[in-house]
Amino acid sequence: MGLLVLLHRFWRGPVVVAHVEHGIRGGDSLEDARFVQAMALKLNYPSVVVSVDVPRQRRRGESLEEAARRLRYEALEKVRQDWLASWVLLAHQADDQAETVLFHLCRGTGLRGLIGIPSLRPPFARPLMAFSGSELRVFLEREGFSWVEDGTNSDSRYARNRIRNEVLPLMRRTLNARVDEHLAALAREAAELAVRMEERSRALLGELRSPFPGALRSWLWEKAKRLSPFERCEALRAEALSLGWPSLDRGRTESLAGLVGKGGRWTFQWKKDLQVLCGQRWITWTSGRFPTFPTRKIPSGRGLYQGPFWTLSWENASGAFPLLSPLGDRAAEETKGKIPWWLREGWPTIVQGSTMIWCPFFGGEAELAAEPSSGLALRLQWSIEGRSRLRNELQTF
């Protein structure tokens, strides 16, 4: 209510009051929504109440708090668009900032976690971040307005509520009465430093990235291993942010950075079907299952086949019908170090009998050839995501 009353006092532009009812607290939640509507009416503002069912709309692996936050922001953004508004003003204040920074510290975080709640991230802004909850309550009492408390705030089963109701009060009493101010100041300094770190991280990602088939992102391992552990952690956080992936805690980030430094063959499960893979010269970010395709004959005449991330066209002028087949476990010595293990079920090869006679590589070449006795007369044209076409001709009679 503090934000609404402040706007009424000092802002003369149009305002739409939006309230998201989460469907968690039953009748109490509906009462809060009615209170907001009544306050908006009293101040002569239009209001919108959006009801969401957080328990039902929660995604697999998503906590109730995460789901509520996601749905709340989605609902507020839709209201903004419906009303052609430029900004969404949120009522977070200094107490929320202190709780968030302390929560991130306890969970394990990097520099970005110390920023806590950003004051400005368009189209969302938080103009009350300089005020504590007690200051806002005094202001409301002086102005003659009441407010309601969310009943779940007193439920210390939730980690944030334990920090709010138990940890911070203990710190204020026994350590420093101004702990909230110091945590907020730390968040501001972290935000300023993070801007510089983000510039450095963008430069690092530009050096590390290399387009790779079937990958959301990919790095060259040789470059990644040369980074310091700190730089690897920062680059990993920046890459996850660029993909919209959930952040990892400090421990898991450091574990992944250690794997990146060692190289080899490994899979790191980020969350659910999100994973980071390493093999040969590449580190890739992927989502979902590894690509594959079915084995099929290459008949005489011309044809084209669309694979998971490649296209192969052929002209078969012989009577032999070789097979287009996934590389799989066939990887010969010639393919080692050139095709990472997670792509082998989706990587094209041409097989005649038990012999692999053709296999394309990343470098723009294709190796292996038909035996003179094979009777093949085969022209191939192969293209891969984001790469130029590779032409290969096998002609033996």
Side-chain angles (χ1 to χ4, degrees):
M1 288 301 104
L3 175 59
L4 193 54
V5 175
L6 279 169
L7 286 172
H8 183 68
R9 280 285 306 272
F10 301 108
W11 175 253
R12 293 296 174 260
V15 172
V16 178
V17 179
H19 177 81
V20 181
E21 193 275 307
H22 295 89
I24 298 176
R25 296 185 293 120
D28 290 343
S29 183
L30 295 173
E31 280 297 320
D32 290 353
R34 283 191 281 269
F35 177 86
V36 172
Q37 285 181 303
M39 178 66 76
L41 184 63
K42 181 177 180 180
L43 298 176
N44 200 29
Y45 290 143
S47 64
V48 178
V49 172
V50 181
S51 293
V52 296
D53 193 334
V54 173
R56 285 182 178 274
Q57 294 176 262
R58 182 169 57 169
R59 294 170 179 168
R60 184 179 177 184
E62 195 175 42
S63 71
L64 200 66
E65 290 171 288
E66 290 171 337
R69 183 181 185 279
R70 174 179 58 81
L71 292 168
R72 178 168 62 252
Y73 280 87
E74 288 175 359
L76 291 173
E77 172 60 13
K78 186 175 185 307
V79 172
R80 184 188 73 83
Q81 294 178 11
D82 289 345
W83 285 79
L84 302 178
S86 300
W87 293 92
V88 177
L89 304 185
L90 303 170
H92 293 101
Q93 30 87 1
D95 296 354
D96 299 312
Q97 181 70 301
E99 294 161 11
T100 301
V101 172
L102 193 55
F103 175 74
H104 288 173
L105 279 169
C106 294
R107 188 186 65 170
T109 186
L111 177 65
R112 289 176 181 82
L114 294 181
I115 298 172
I117 307 171
S119 297
L120 183 65
R121 183 175 289 168
F124 299 99
R126 299 171 175 87
L128 300 184
M129 293 291 280
F131 303 97
S132 68
S134 59
E135 289 173 324
L136 292 170
R137 284 188 285 272
V138 168
F139 168 73
L140 287 172
E141 288 176 346
R142 189 176 68 237
E143 295 295 315
F145 289 94
S146 60
W147 66 89
V148 293
E149 299 282 353
D150 187 334
T152 61
N153 287 344
S154 61
D155 187 348
S156 292
R157 290 177 298 175
Y158 300 106
R160 285 180 181 274
N161 288 356
R162 284 197 299 276
I163 290 173
R164 178 186 304 122
N165 301 327
E166 300 172 16
V167 178
L168 275 171
L170 180 64
M171 294 175 73
R172 294 181 193 115
R173 290 196 307 271
T174 62
L175 296 175
N176 192 322
R178 299 177 60 192
V179 64
D180 302 73
E181 296 176 39
H182 297 319
L183 288 169
L186 176 63
R188 289 192 296 272
E189 292 178 6
E192 293 177 7
L193 184 56
V195 171
R196 301 177 188 178
M197 288 300 304
E198 285 172 6
E199 292 174 357
R200 172 58 180 153
S201 294
R202 282 195 295 270
L204 280 177
L205 293 181
E207 297 170 7
L208 293 170
R209 287 174 178 166
S210 177
F212 194 83
L216 301 175
R217 293 283 192 279
S218 61
W219 292 358
L220 293 172
W221 176 70
E222 285 291 334
K223 293 186 177 181
K225 75 174 183 178
R226 298 191 196 112
L227 301 179
S228 69
F230 177 79
E231 288 176 319
R232 283 200 294 269
C233 287
E234 285 303 303
L236 287 167
R237 292 187 181 104
E239 197 66 275
L241 187 64
S242 77
L243 289 166
W245 285 18
S247 60
L248 298 177
D249 62 31
R250 177 183 291 277
R252 295 198 72 211
T253 301
E254 290 177 347
S255 295
L256 178 55
L259 288 172
V260 170
K262 291 177 181 177
R265 172 174 171 168
W266 48 261
T267 300
F268 181 91
Q269 204 73 24
W270 194 282
K271 187 173 183 179
K272 295 187 292 183
D273 62 343
L274 307 179
Q275 51 200 351
V276 183
L277 311 170
C278 182
Q280 282 79 38
R281 295 176 285 154
W282 298 277
I283 297 170
T284 68
W285 280 251
T286 67
S287 176
R289 297 181 179 180
F290 301 147
T292 187
F293 69 95
T295 297
R296 60 177 294 171
K297 288 183 179 180
I298 297 182
S300 59
R302 296 181 178 182
L304 181 143
Y305 187 74
Q306 184 73 50
F309 46 83
W310 48 265
T311 301
L312 179 69
S313 60
W314 70 80
E315 181 179 349
N316 187 359
S318 64
F321 299 138
L323 298 177
L324 174 63
S325 179
L327 175 62
D329 295 330
R330 271 191 211 92
E333 287 298 321
E334 298 96 316
T335 69
K336 287 184 177 177
K338 296 183 178 180
I339 303 169
W341 56 271
W342 63 86
L343 283 186
R344 290 178 182 169
E345 292 301 325
W347 196 259
T349 64
I350 292 180
V351 179
Q352 188 178 34
S354 59
T355 303
M356 181 168 63
I357 63 173
W358 179 84
C359 182
F361 298 140
F362 292 118
E365 77 275 12
E367 295 189 7
L368 306 178
E371 294 295 327
S373 60
S374 66
L376 275 178
L378 188 62
R379 290 185 177 89
L380 305 170
Q381 185 169 283
W382 180 76
S383 63
I384 192 171
E385 283 182 359
R387 291 181 179 260
S388 59
R389 290 184 177 274
L390 168 69
R391 292 175 175 81
N392 190 243
E393 186 173 300
L394 299 176
Q395 285 194 337
T396 59
F397 299 94

